[in-house]
Amino acid sequence: MSQIFDFLFGQYATYDTLDIVLELIAAVFTIASVVYSKQNNVLVFPTGMICTAIFVYLLLKWGLLGDMMINGYYFVMSVYGWYVWTKKVDGIAVTPITRTTRKEHLLSAIIFITSAIFVYIVYIIFDKIEHWTSYVDMITTGIFFVGMWLMAKRKIENWIYWIIGDIITVPLYFYKGLTFSSILYFALTIIAIFGYLAWKKNLDKSVVIA
């Protein structure tokens, strides 16, 4: 049992206690944020802002620049999403759950490519490309950038990007030695699947009513 524990969490022996506590706090708020998103609740954004702010600090300290920029972007998009989700006209919310349009699919592709290239440039500038994980980091950055943008616009397809990105991130973080975060993303994958189903049910119901 101790060998398994050491294998999973041995890397934390060299971490500052504060960083471990912060990672756990960020994990709790991340799960809360995704659960609120699944429930189509605007609290997804304030809880998300807390966890992303913590992760920006931790990931910068750990040198994971792509992941750090993802979380910085999440923070900014959370502010935007909070505005969009709460925007009302005559007391009625005007941003319901909808499907992504052809134009938005094109913009999604542009966001993915642009963000991946941007992260690549950052890695080059800071001479951080030391392993194949750096390239995977670039890909997940693009995926998550698109997912967050679509979520802020309340598009159901955002869940597909979250699911794909989470599935890639689980083994990636485990390989990097970030066991808590790897477990977190495994949980997020499950929640994202249920989130997609919940939003689809909501969308189908609104279509029937319309």
Side-chain angles (χ1 to χ4, degrees):
M1 180 64 72
S2 62
Q3 291 179 333
I4 295 176
F5 185 86
D6 289 340
F7 176 72
L8 292 175
F9 303 105
Q11 72 279 2
Y12 286 98
T14 60
Y15 285 18
D16 293 337
T17 301
L18 176 60
D19 290 348
I20 297 174
V21 172
L22 285 174
E23 186 180 358
L24 289 173
I25 293 174
V28 170
F29 275 96
T30 298
I31 292 176
S33 180
V34 177
V35 170
Y36 281 129
S37 180
K38 171 183 174 294
Q39 297 172 345
N40 198 27
N41 189 315
V42 74
L43 288 177
V44 56
F45 296 113
T47 52
M49 290 168 70
I50 293 173
C51 68
T52 53
I54 295 174
F55 272 124
V56 164
Y57 164 75
L58 291 176
L59 293 167
L60 176 61
K61 186 174 182 179
W62 294 334
L64 301 176
L65 301 182
D67 294 327
M68 181 204 71
M69 285 185 289
I70 289 176
N71 281 274
Y73 170 79
Y74 284 172
F75 188 92
V76 174
M77 289 304 294
S78 290
V79 176
Y80 170 71
W82 200 345
Y83 165 74
V84 171
W85 281 36
T86 56
K87 183 180 179 181
K88 295 182 179 181
V89 175
D90 297 328
I92 301 175
V94 294
T95 312
I97 296 173
T98 56
R99 293 191 180 279
T100 305
T101 64
R102 181 175 298 181
K103 180 180 179 181
E104 288 167 336
H105 277 303
L106 177 60
L107 287 174
S108 295
I110 293 173
I111 291 173
F112 173 80
I113 295 172
T114 303
S115 57
I117 292 175
F118 176 73
V119 175
Y120 173 76
I121 293 173
V122 171
Y123 268 99
I124 292 295
I125 292 175
F126 290 94
D127 193 25
K128 288 290 185 178
I129 299 182
E130 302 172 349
H131 205 268
W132 60 266
T133 56
S134 299
Y135 295 100
V136 178
D137 189 28
M138 297 171 200
I139 294 173
T140 54
T141 298
I143 293 173
F144 287 135
F145 267 41
V146 175
M148 187 65 195
W149 178 67
L150 291 176
M151 188 182 78
K153 295 177 71 65
R154 233 170 193 160
K155 300 295 180 177
I156 189 173
E157 288 81 3
N158 85 86
W159 290 110
I160 296 175
Y161 286 91
W162 290 124
I163 292 168
I164 294 173
D166 290 344
I167 289 174
I168 296 173
T169 302
V170 170
L172 177 65
Y173 271 21
F174 184 76
Y175 182 84
K176 289 178 178 179
L178 304 175
T179 306
F180 287 136
S181 294
S182 179
I183 294 172
L184 166 64
Y185 273 90
F186 177 77
L188 295 181
T189 303
I190 304 301
I191 297 173
I193 292 172
F194 283 101
Y196 174 80
L197 295 175
W199 277 38
K200 187 175 186 300
K201 182 178 180 180
N202 186 303
L203 181 61
D204 291 342
K205 186 184 299 183
S206 64
V207 171
V208 171
I209 294 176

mmCIF file of all heavy atoms in Angstrom, residues 83-128:
data_model
loop_
_atom_site.group_PDB
_atom_site.id
_atom_site.type_symbol
_atom_site.label_atom_id
_atom_site.label_comp_id
_atom_site.label_asym_id
_atom_site.label_seq_id
_atom_site.Cartn_x
_atom_site.Cartn_y
_atom_site.Cartn_z
ATOM 1 N N TYR A 83 -21.010 38.100 -17.537
ATOM 2 C CA TYR A 83 -21.803 39.186 -18.128
ATOM 3 C C TYR A 83 -22.831 38.639 -19.116
ATOM 4 O O TYR A 83 -24.016 39.008 -19.078
ATOM 5 C CB TYR A 83 -20.882 40.179 -18.831
ATOM 6 C CG TYR A 83 -21.615 41.123 -19.765
ATOM 7 C CD1 TYR A 83 -22.384 42.176 -19.269
ATOM 8 C CD2 TYR A 83 -21.553 40.936 -21.149
ATOM 9 C CE1 TYR A 83 -23.076 43.027 -20.125
ATOM 10 C CE2 TYR A 83 -22.239 41.780 -22.009
ATOM 11 C CZ TYR A 83 -22.997 42.823 -21.495
ATOM 12 O OH TYR A 83 -23.689 43.654 -22.346
ATOM 13 N N VAL A 84 -22.383 37.745 -19.994
ATOM 14 C CA VAL A 84 -23.276 37.208 -21.032
ATOM 15 C C VAL A 84 -24.431 36.427 -20.415
ATOM 16 O O VAL A 84 -25.592 36.585 -20.804
ATOM 17 C CB VAL A 84 -22.488 36.298 -22.005
ATOM 18 C CG1 VAL A 84 -23.444 35.562 -22.951
ATOM 19 C CG2 VAL A 84 -21.489 37.121 -22.806
ATOM 20 N N TRP A 85 -24.123 35.580 -19.432
ATOM 21 C CA TRP A 85 -25.155 34.735 -18.834
ATOM 22 C C TRP A 85 -26.177 35.536 -18.033
ATOM 23 O O TRP A 85 -27.318 35.103 -17.877
ATOM 24 C CB TRP A 85 -24.512 33.686 -17.925
ATOM 25 C CG TRP A 85 -23.932 32.519 -18.661
ATOM 26 C CD1 TRP A 85 -23.302 32.537 -19.865
ATOM 27 C CD2 TRP A 85 -23.912 31.157 -18.230
ATOM 28 N NE1 TRP A 85 -22.873 31.283 -20.209
ATOM 29 C CE2 TRP A 85 -23.237 30.412 -19.227
ATOM 30 C CE3 TRP A 85 -24.378 30.500 -17.098
ATOM 31 C CZ2 TRP A 85 -23.032 29.036 -19.123
ATOM 32 C CZ3 TRP A 85 -24.170 29.128 -16.988
ATOM 33 C CH2 TRP A 85 -23.513 28.408 -17.990
ATOM 34 N N THR A 86 -25.755 36.669 -17.492
ATOM 35 C CA THR A 86 -26.667 37.462 -16.657
ATOM 36 C C THR A 86 -27.297 38.623 -17.418
ATOM 37 O O THR A 86 -28.120 39.356 -16.866
ATOM 38 C CB THR A 86 -25.923 38.028 -15.425
ATOM 39 O OG1 THR A 86 -24.780 38.783 -15.857
ATOM 40 C CG2 THR A 86 -25.476 36.905 -14.508
ATOM 41 N N LYS A 87 -26.902 38.785 -18.671
ATOM 42 C CA LYS A 87 -27.452 39.871 -19.478
ATOM 43 C C LYS A 87 -28.945 39.648 -19.695
ATOM 44 O O LYS A 87 -29.378 38.568 -20.088
ATOM 45 C CB LYS A 87 -26.734 39.933 -20.828
ATOM 46 C CG LYS A 87 -27.194 41.079 -21.725
ATOM 47 C CD LYS A 87 -26.422 41.067 -23.043
ATOM 48 C CE LYS A 87 -26.880 42.186 -23.960
ATOM 49 N NZ LYS A 87 -26.151 42.161 -25.256
ATOM 50 N N LYS A 88 -29.722 40.674 -19.441
ATOM 51 C CA LYS A 88 -31.175 40.559 -19.566
ATOM 52 C C LYS A 88 -31.752 41.731 -20.356
ATOM 53 O O LYS A 88 -31.197 42.827 -20.359
ATOM 54 C CB LYS A 88 -31.834 40.505 -18.185
ATOM 55 C CG LYS A 88 -31.487 39.277 -17.362
ATOM 56 C CD LYS A 88 -32.223 39.270 -16.035
ATOM 57 C CE LYS A 88 -31.891 38.021 -15.236
ATOM 58 N NZ LYS A 88 -32.618 37.995 -13.939
ATOM 59 N N VAL A 89 -32.848 41.465 -21.014
ATOM 60 C CA VAL A 89 -33.605 42.497 -21.711
ATOM 61 C C VAL A 89 -35.033 42.429 -21.187
ATOM 62 O O VAL A 89 -35.689 41.390 -21.294
ATOM 63 C CB VAL A 89 -33.593 42.283 -23.242
ATOM 64 C CG1 VAL A 89 -34.508 43.307 -23.909
ATOM 65 C CG2 VAL A 89 -32.181 42.389 -23.780
ATOM 66 N N ASP A 90 -35.485 43.514 -20.597
ATOM 67 C CA ASP A 90 -36.817 43.547 -19.974
ATOM 68 C C ASP A 90 -36.970 42.457 -18.921
ATOM 69 O O ASP A 90 -38.024 41.821 -18.792
ATOM 70 C CB ASP A 90 -37.912 43.393 -21.040
ATOM 71 C CG ASP A 90 -37.918 44.548 -22.032
ATOM 72 O OD1 ASP A 90 -37.566 45.668 -21.616
ATOM 73 O OD2 ASP A 90 -38.262 44.324 -23.206
ATOM 74 N N GLY A 91 -35.873 42.214 -18.189
ATOM 75 C CA GLY A 91 -35.928 41.249 -17.094
ATOM 76 C C GLY A 91 -35.842 39.799 -17.515
ATOM 77 O O GLY A 91 -35.977 38.894 -16.693
ATOM 78 N N ILE A 92 -35.602 39.551 -18.803
ATOM 79 C CA ILE A 92 -35.538 38.176 -19.306
ATOM 80 C C ILE A 92 -34.133 37.884 -19.832
ATOM 81 O O ILE A 92 -33.566 38.670 -20.588
ATOM 82 C CB ILE A 92 -36.556 37.953 -20.445
ATOM 83 C CG1 ILE A 92 -37.974 38.238 -19.929
ATOM 84 C CG2 ILE A 92 -36.458 36.529 -20.981
ATOM 85 C CD1 ILE A 92 -39.030 38.158 -21.011
ATOM 86 N N ALA A 93 -33.580 36.741 -19.425
ATOM 87 C CA ALA A 93 -32.252 36.344 -19.901
ATOM 88 C C ALA A 93 -32.288 36.148 -21.410
ATOM 89 O O ALA A 93 -33.221 35.545 -21.942
ATOM 90 C CB ALA A 93 -31.807 35.061 -19.215
ATOM 91 N N VAL A 94 -31.276 36.666 -22.092
ATOM 92 C CA VAL A 94 -31.287 36.618 -23.555
ATOM 93 C C VAL A 94 -30.202 35.698 -24.122
ATOM 94 O O VAL A 94 -29.932 35.723 -25.311
ATOM 95 C CB VAL A 94 -31.107 38.039 -24.145
ATOM 96 C CG1 VAL A 94 -32.297 38.903 -23.802
ATOM 97 C CG2 VAL A 94 -29.819 38.675 -23.637
ATOM 98 N N THR A 95 -29.601 34.889 -23.272
ATOM 99 C CA THR A 95 -28.560 33.974 -23.746
ATOM 100 C C THR A 95 -28.891 32.543 -23.330
ATOM 101 O O THR A 95 -28.316 32.006 -22.384
ATOM 102 C CB THR A 95 -27.176 34.365 -23.193
ATOM 103 O OG1 THR A 95 -26.964 35.763 -23.386
ATOM 104 C CG2 THR A 95 -26.076 33.592 -23.924
ATOM 105 N N PRO A 96 -29.815 31.912 -24.019
ATOM 106 C CA PRO A 96 -30.164 30.522 -23.695
ATOM 107 C C PRO A 96 -29.128 29.552 -24.250
ATOM 108 O O PRO A 96 -28.227 29.942 -24.999
ATOM 109 C CB PRO A 96 -31.511 30.345 -24.408
ATOM 110 C CG PRO A 96 -31.375 31.233 -25.620
ATOM 111 C CD PRO A 96 -30.608 32.443 -25.131
ATOM 112 N N ILE A 97 -29.239 28.289 -23.890
ATOM 113 C CA ILE A 97 -28.370 27.256 -24.447
ATOM 114 C C ILE A 97 -28.730 27.062 -25.917
ATOM 115 O O ILE A 97 -29.896 26.883 -26.259
ATOM 116 C CB ILE A 97 -28.551 25.920 -23.696
ATOM 117 C CG1 ILE A 97 -28.112 26.070 -22.234
ATOM 118 C CG2 ILE A 97 -27.760 24.808 -24.374
ATOM 119 C CD1 ILE A 97 -28.411 24.849 -21.382
ATOM 120 N N THR A 98 -27.726 27.111 -26.777
ATOM 121 C CA THR A 98 -27.956 26.920 -28.210
ATOM 122 C C THR A 98 -26.833 26.072 -28.801
ATOM 123 O O THR A 98 -25.843 25.782 -28.134
ATOM 124 C CB THR A 98 -27.997 28.273 -28.957
ATOM 125 O OG1 THR A 98 -26.777 28.990 -28.694
ATOM 126 C CG2 THR A 98 -29.182 29.111 -28.512
ATOM 127 N N ARG A 99 -27.005 25.714 -30.063
ATOM 128 C CA ARG A 99 -25.968 24.966 -30.767
ATOM 129 C C ARG A 99 -25.032 25.934 -31.490
ATOM 130 O O ARG A 99 -25.420 27.047 -31.839
ATOM 131 C CB ARG A 99 -26.589 23.986 -31.771
ATOM 132 C CG ARG A 99 -27.371 22.863 -31.105
ATOM 133 C CD ARG A 99 -27.744 21.774 -32.091
ATOM 134 N NE ARG A 99 -28.488 20.696 -31.441
ATOM 135 C CZ ARG A 99 -27.927 19.726 -30.747
ATOM 136 N NH1 ARG A 99 -26.603 19.684 -30.631
ATOM 137 N NH2 ARG A 99 -28.664 18.787 -30.188
ATOM 138 N N THR A 100 -23.826 25.483 -31.718
ATOM 139 C CA THR A 100 -22.827 26.302 -32.395
ATOM 140 C C THR A 100 -23.176 26.455 -33.870
ATOM 141 O O THR A 100 -23.515 25.476 -34.543
ATOM 142 C CB THR A 100 -21.436 25.656 -32.263
ATOM 143 O OG1 THR A 100 -21.152 25.447 -30.876
ATOM 144 C CG2 THR A 100 -20.362 26.544 -32.861
ATOM 145 N N THR A 101 -23.102 27.675 -34.369
ATOM 146 C CA THR A 101 -23.385 27.933 -35.776
ATOM 147 C C THR A 101 -22.161 27.604 -36.630
ATOM 148 O O THR A 101 -21.063 27.377 -36.109
ATOM 149 C CB THR A 101 -23.752 29.411 -35.991
ATOM 150 O OG1 THR A 101 -22.613 30.227 -35.661
ATOM 151 C CG2 THR A 101 -24.926 29.812 -35.106
ATOM 152 N N ARG A 102 -22.350 27.599 -37.939
ATOM 153 C CA ARG A 102 -21.228 27.323 -38.843
ATOM 154 C C ARG A 102 -20.128 28.370 -38.673
ATOM 155 O O ARG A 102 -18.935 28.043 -38.674
ATOM 156 C CB ARG A 102 -21.725 27.318 -40.292
ATOM 157 C CG ARG A 102 -20.640 27.016 -41.317
ATOM 158 C CD ARG A 102 -21.215 26.896 -42.709
ATOM 159 N NE ARG A 102 -22.169 25.805 -42.799
ATOM 160 C CZ ARG A 102 -22.812 25.473 -43.921
ATOM 161 N NH1 ARG A 102 -22.596 26.158 -45.033
ATOM 162 N NH2 ARG A 102 -23.669 24.469 -43.927
ATOM 163 N N LYS A 103 -20.530 29.616 -38.507
ATOM 164 C CA LYS A 103 -19.555 30.691 -38.310
ATOM 165 C C LYS A 103 -18.773 30.482 -37.018
ATOM 166 O O LYS A 103 -17.554 30.695 -36.969
ATOM 167 C CB LYS A 103 -20.274 32.043 -38.278
ATOM 168 C CG LYS A 103 -19.345 33.228 -38.070
ATOM 169 C CD LYS A 103 -20.120 34.542 -38.038
ATOM 170 C CE LYS A 103 -19.185 35.724 -37.803
ATOM 171 N NZ LYS A 103 -19.943 37.015 -37.758
ATOM 172 N N GLU A 104 -19.464 30.048 -35.978
ATOM 173 C CA GLU A 104 -18.808 29.823 -34.690
ATOM 174 C C GLU A 104 -17.873 28.618 -34.742
ATOM 175 O O GLU A 104 -16.844 28.595 -34.060
ATOM 176 C CB GLU A 104 -19.860 29.655 -33.593
ATOM 177 C CG GLU A 104 -20.553 30.970 -33.249
ATOM 178 C CD GLU A 104 -21.799 30.787 -32.406
ATOM 179 O OE1 GLU A 104 -22.396 29.685 -32.449
ATOM 180 O OE2 GLU A 104 -22.195 31.741 -31.713
ATOM 181 N N HIS A 105 -18.217 27.625 -35.553
ATOM 182 C CA HIS A 105 -17.308 26.486 -35.744
ATOM 183 C C HIS A 105 -16.009 26.965 -36.403
ATOM 184 O O HIS A 105 -14.909 26.523 -36.034
ATOM 185 C CB HIS A 105 -17.962 25.416 -36.619
ATOM 186 C CG HIS A 105 -18.878 24.491 -35.874
ATOM 187 N ND1 HIS A 105 -18.459 23.744 -34.783
ATOM 188 C CD2 HIS A 105 -20.191 24.178 -36.057
ATOM 189 C CE1 HIS A 105 -19.467 23.016 -34.330
ATOM 190 N NE2 HIS A 105 -20.528 23.265 -35.082
ATOM 191 N N LEU A 106 -16.154 27.861 -37.365
ATOM 192 C CA LEU A 106 -14.979 28.412 -38.047
ATOM 193 C C LEU A 106 -14.133 29.223 -37.060
ATOM 194 O O LEU A 106 -12.903 29.086 -37.023
ATOM 195 C CB LEU A 106 -15.414 29.296 -39.214
ATOM 196 C CG LEU A 106 -14.284 30.010 -39.975
ATOM 197 C CD1 LEU A 106 -13.311 29.000 -40.564
ATOM 198 C CD2 LEU A 106 -14.866 30.901 -41.076
ATOM 199 N N LEU A 107 -14.803 30.034 -36.253
ATOM 200 C CA LEU A 107 -14.093 30.825 -35.250
ATOM 201 C C LEU A 107 -13.415 29.913 -34.224
ATOM 202 O O LEU A 107 -12.321 30.216 -33.742
ATOM 203 C CB LEU A 107 -15.063 31.779 -34.548
ATOM 204 C CG LEU A 107 -15.545 32.979 -35.371
ATOM 205 C CD1 LEU A 107 -16.619 33.755 -34.610
ATOM 206 C CD2 LEU A 107 -14.370 33.897 -35.707
ATOM 207 N N SER A 108 -14.063 28.794 -33.911
ATOM 208 C CA SER A 108 -13.480 27.829 -32.975
ATOM 209 C C SER A 108 -12.169 27.278 -33.524
ATOM 210 O O SER A 108 -11.180 27.137 -32.793
ATOM 211 C CB SER A 108 -14.463 26.682 -32.715
ATOM 212 O OG SER A 108 -15.630 27.142 -32.065
ATOM 213 N N ALA A 109 -12.173 26.965 -34.812
ATOM 214 C CA ALA A 109 -10.959 26.449 -35.454
ATOM 215 C C ALA A 109 -9.851 27.499 -35.425
ATOM 216 O O ALA A 109 -8.681 27.181 -35.167
ATOM 217 C CB ALA A 109 -11.263 26.039 -36.892
ATOM 218 N N ILE A 110 -10.233 28.740 -35.666
ATOM 219 C CA ILE A 110 -9.254 29.833 -35.654
ATOM 220 C C ILE A 110 -8.680 30.017 -34.251
ATOM 221 O O ILE A 110 -7.469 30.199 -34.072
ATOM 222 C CB ILE A 110 -9.901 31.145 -36.148
ATOM 223 C CG1 ILE A 110 -10.270 31.022 -37.632
ATOM 224 C CG2 ILE A 110 -8.956 32.328 -35.925
ATOM 225 C CD1 ILE A 110 -11.052 32.199 -38.169
ATOM 226 N N ILE A 111 -9.558 29.968 -33.245
ATOM 227 C CA ILE A 111 -9.111 30.113 -31.858
ATOM 228 C C ILE A 111 -8.157 28.982 -31.488
ATOM 229 O O ILE A 111 -7.120 29.203 -30.850
ATOM 230 C CB ILE A 111 -10.317 30.117 -30.894
ATOM 231 C CG1 ILE A 111 -11.133 31.400 -31.079
ATOM 232 C CG2 ILE A 111 -9.850 30.003 -29.437
ATOM 233 C CD1 ILE A 111 -12.432 31.420 -30.299
ATOM 234 N N PHE A 112 -8.498 27.759 -31.900
ATOM 235 C CA PHE A 112 -7.650 26.603 -31.594
ATOM 236 C C PHE A 112 -6.256 26.766 -32.198
ATOM 237 O O PHE A 112 -5.240 26.621 -31.509
ATOM 238 C CB PHE A 112 -8.301 25.323 -32.122
ATOM 239 C CG PHE A 112 -7.411 24.110 -32.009
ATOM 240 C CD1 PHE A 112 -7.281 23.446 -30.802
ATOM 241 C CD2 PHE A 112 -6.689 23.656 -33.105
ATOM 242 C CE1 PHE A 112 -6.446 22.338 -30.682
ATOM 243 C CE2 PHE A 112 -5.855 22.556 -33.000
ATOM 244 C CZ PHE A 112 -5.735 21.895 -31.786
ATOM 245 N N ILE A 113 -6.212 27.061 -33.477
ATOM 246 C CA ILE A 113 -4.927 27.180 -34.174
ATOM 247 C C ILE A 113 -4.112 28.357 -33.631
ATOM 248 O O ILE A 113 -2.913 28.226 -33.356
ATOM 249 C CB ILE A 113 -5.154 27.354 -35.692
ATOM 250 C CG1 ILE A 113 -5.797 26.083 -36.271
ATOM 251 C CG2 ILE A 113 -3.836 27.658 -36.402
ATOM 252 C CD1 ILE A 113 -6.242 26.226 -37.713
ATOM 253 N N THR A 114 -4.781 29.486 -33.459
ATOM 254 C CA THR A 114 -4.091 30.689 -32.982
ATOM 255 C C THR A 114 -3.512 30.497 -31.584
ATOM 256 O O THR A 114 -2.357 30.857 -31.318
ATOM 257 C CB THR A 114 -5.049 31.890 -32.967
ATOM 258 O OG1 THR A 114 -5.582 32.092 -34.279
ATOM 259 C CG2 THR A 114 -4.322 33.155 -32.525
ATOM 260 N N SER A 115 -4.308 29.917 -30.690
ATOM 261 C CA SER A 115 -3.843 29.736 -29.312
ATOM 262 C C SER A 115 -2.708 28.715 -29.237
ATOM 263 O O SER A 115 -1.747 28.901 -28.479
ATOM 264 C CB SER A 115 -5.005 29.305 -28.410
ATOM 265 O OG SER A 115 -5.622 28.122 -28.892
ATOM 266 N N ALA A 116 -2.798 27.650 -30.034
ATOM 267 C CA ALA A 116 -1.734 26.640 -30.036
ATOM 268 C C ALA A 116 -0.425 27.239 -30.546
ATOM 269 O O ALA A 116 0.650 26.995 -29.984
ATOM 270 C CB ALA A 116 -2.146 25.450 -30.900
ATOM 271 N N ILE A 117 -0.522 28.039 -31.596
ATOM 272 C CA ILE A 117 0.673 28.696 -32.142
ATOM 273 C C ILE A 117 1.243 29.690 -31.130
ATOM 274 O O ILE A 117 2.465 29.783 -30.945
ATOM 275 C CB ILE A 117 0.340 29.419 -33.465
ATOM 276 C CG1 ILE A 117 0.012 28.392 -34.553
ATOM 277 C CG2 ILE A 117 1.508 30.307 -33.904
ATOM 278 C CD1 ILE A 117 -0.450 29.009 -35.862
ATOM 279 N N PHE A 118 0.351 30.416 -30.466
ATOM 280 C CA PHE A 118 0.784 31.398 -29.469
ATOM 281 C C PHE A 118 1.558 30.719 -28.339
ATOM 282 O O PHE A 118 2.618 31.199 -27.918
ATOM 283 C CB PHE A 118 -0.426 32.135 -28.904
ATOM 284 C CG PHE A 118 -0.081 33.108 -27.803
ATOM 285 C CD1 PHE A 118 0.567 34.296 -28.091
ATOM 286 C CD2 PHE A 118 -0.399 32.827 -26.483
ATOM 287 C CE1 PHE A 118 0.898 35.195 -27.079
ATOM 288 C CE2 PHE A 118 -0.074 33.711 -25.467
ATOM 289 C CZ PHE A 118 0.575 34.900 -25.771
ATOM 290 N N VAL A 119 1.025 29.594 -27.858
ATOM 291 C CA VAL A 119 1.705 28.868 -26.782
ATOM 292 C C VAL A 119 3.055 28.345 -27.269
ATOM 293 O O VAL A 119 4.049 28.374 -26.532
ATOM 294 C CB VAL A 119 0.832 27.698 -26.274
ATOM 295 C CG1 VAL A 119 1.602 26.869 -25.244
ATOM 296 C CG2 VAL A 119 -0.443 28.228 -25.645
ATOM 297 N N TYR A 120 3.099 27.891 -28.512
ATOM 298 C CA TYR A 120 4.366 27.411 -29.083
ATOM 299 C C TYR A 120 5.408 28.526 -29.076
ATOM 300 O O TYR A 120 6.572 28.308 -28.689
ATOM 301 C CB TYR A 120 4.138 26.915 -30.508
ATOM 302 C CG TYR A 120 5.413 26.550 -31.234
ATOM 303 C CD1 TYR A 120 6.081 25.360 -30.947
ATOM 304 C CD2 TYR A 120 5.959 27.410 -32.195
ATOM 305 C CE1 TYR A 120 7.260 25.024 -31.604
ATOM 306 C CE2 TYR A 120 7.133 27.085 -32.852
ATOM 307 C CZ TYR A 120 7.781 25.890 -32.550
ATOM 308 O OH TYR A 120 8.952 25.565 -33.192
ATOM 309 N N ILE A 121 4.985 29.715 -29.474
ATOM 310 C CA ILE A 121 5.898 30.864 -29.502
ATOM 311 C C ILE A 121 6.394 31.190 -28.091
ATOM 312 O O ILE A 121 7.576 31.473 -27.883
ATOM 313 C CB ILE A 121 5.202 32.096 -30.120
ATOM 314 C CG1 ILE A 121 4.918 31.840 -31.605
ATOM 315 C CG2 ILE A 121 6.066 33.349 -29.951
ATOM 316 C CD1 ILE A 121 4.091 32.923 -32.268
ATOM 317 N N VAL A 122 5.479 31.128 -27.127
ATOM 318 C CA VAL A 122 5.854 31.409 -25.737
ATOM 319 C C VAL A 122 6.885 30.393 -25.253
ATOM 320 O O VAL A 122 7.879 30.748 -24.604
ATOM 321 C CB VAL A 122 4.617 31.387 -24.821
ATOM 322 C CG1 VAL A 122 5.036 31.447 -23.346
ATOM 323 C CG2 VAL A 122 3.695 32.549 -25.145
ATOM 324 N N TYR A 123 6.653 29.123 -25.571
ATOM 325 C CA TYR A 123 7.604 28.084 -25.178
ATOM 326 C C TYR A 123 8.975 28.331 -25.814
ATOM 327 O O TYR A 123 10.015 28.121 -25.179
ATOM 328 C CB TYR A 123 7.088 26.708 -25.592
ATOM 329 C CG TYR A 123 6.272 26.009 -24.528
ATOM 330 C CD1 TYR A 123 4.883 26.030 -24.548
ATOM 331 C CD2 TYR A 123 6.896 25.311 -23.495
ATOM 332 C CE1 TYR A 123 4.139 25.390 -23.580
ATOM 333 C CE2 TYR A 123 6.167 24.663 -22.522
ATOM 334 C CZ TYR A 123 4.781 24.703 -22.565
ATOM 335 O OH TYR A 123 4.049 24.070 -21.593
ATOM 336 N N ILE A 124 8.976 28.766 -27.064
ATOM 337 C CA ILE A 124 10.235 29.040 -27.759
ATOM 338 C C ILE A 124 10.959 30.212 -27.098
ATOM 339 O O ILE A 124 12.171 30.159 -26.837
ATOM 340 C CB ILE A 124 9.979 29.358 -29.248
ATOM 341 C CG1 ILE A 124 9.491 28.105 -29.989
ATOM 342 C CG2 ILE A 124 11.252 29.898 -29.897
ATOM 343 C CD1 ILE A 124 10.504 26.993 -30.066
ATOM 344 N N ILE A 125 10.210 31.272 -26.829
ATOM 345 C CA ILE A 125 10.803 32.474 -26.231
ATOM 346 C C ILE A 125 11.446 32.161 -24.882
ATOM 347 O O ILE A 125 12.552 32.622 -24.577
ATOM 348 C CB ILE A 125 9.737 33.581 -26.066
ATOM 349 C CG1 ILE A 125 9.288 34.083 -27.444
ATOM 350 C CG2 ILE A 125 10.288 34.740 -25.227
ATOM 351 C CD1 ILE A 125 8.155 35.084 -27.394
ATOM 352 N N PHE A 126 10.746 31.367 -24.075
ATOM 353 C CA PHE A 126 11.251 31.059 -22.734
ATOM 354 C C PHE A 126 12.068 29.762 -22.697
ATOM 355 O O PHE A 126 12.446 29.300 -21.624
ATOM 356 C CB PHE A 126 10.087 30.963 -21.740
ATOM 357 C CG PHE A 126 9.439 32.287 -21.446
ATOM 358 C CD1 PHE A 126 8.324 32.706 -22.164
ATOM 359 C CD2 PHE A 126 9.948 33.127 -20.472
ATOM 360 C CE1 PHE A 126 7.723 33.931 -21.903
ATOM 361 C CE2 PHE A 126 9.360 34.350 -20.197
ATOM 362 C CZ PHE A 126 8.243 34.758 -20.923
ATOM 363 N N ASP A 127 12.313 29.199 -23.889
ATOM 364 C CA ASP A 127 13.124 27.982 -24.008
ATOM 365 C C ASP A 127 12.603 26.879 -23.084
ATOM 366 O O ASP A 127 13.348 26.268 -22.310
ATOM 367 C CB ASP A 127 14.589 28.293 -23.668
ATOM 368 C CG ASP A 127 15.527 27.161 -24.088
ATOM 369 O OD1 ASP A 127 15.167 26.409 -25.015
ATOM 370 O OD2 ASP A 127 16.603 27.020 -23.470
ATOM 371 N N LYS A 128 11.298 26.602 -23.192
ATOM 372 C CA LYS A 128 10.655 25.635 -22.307
ATOM 373 C C LYS A 128 10.299 24.320 -22.997
ATOM 374 O O LYS A 128 9.739 23.427 -22.373
ATOM 375 C CB LYS A 128 9.384 26.251 -21.708
ATOM 376 C CG LYS A 128 9.642 27.329 -20.661
ATOM 377 C CD LYS A 128 10.223 26.731 -19.395
ATOM 378 C CE LYS A 128 10.360 27.772 -18.300
ATOM 379 N NZ LYS A 128 10.880 27.175 -17.038
#
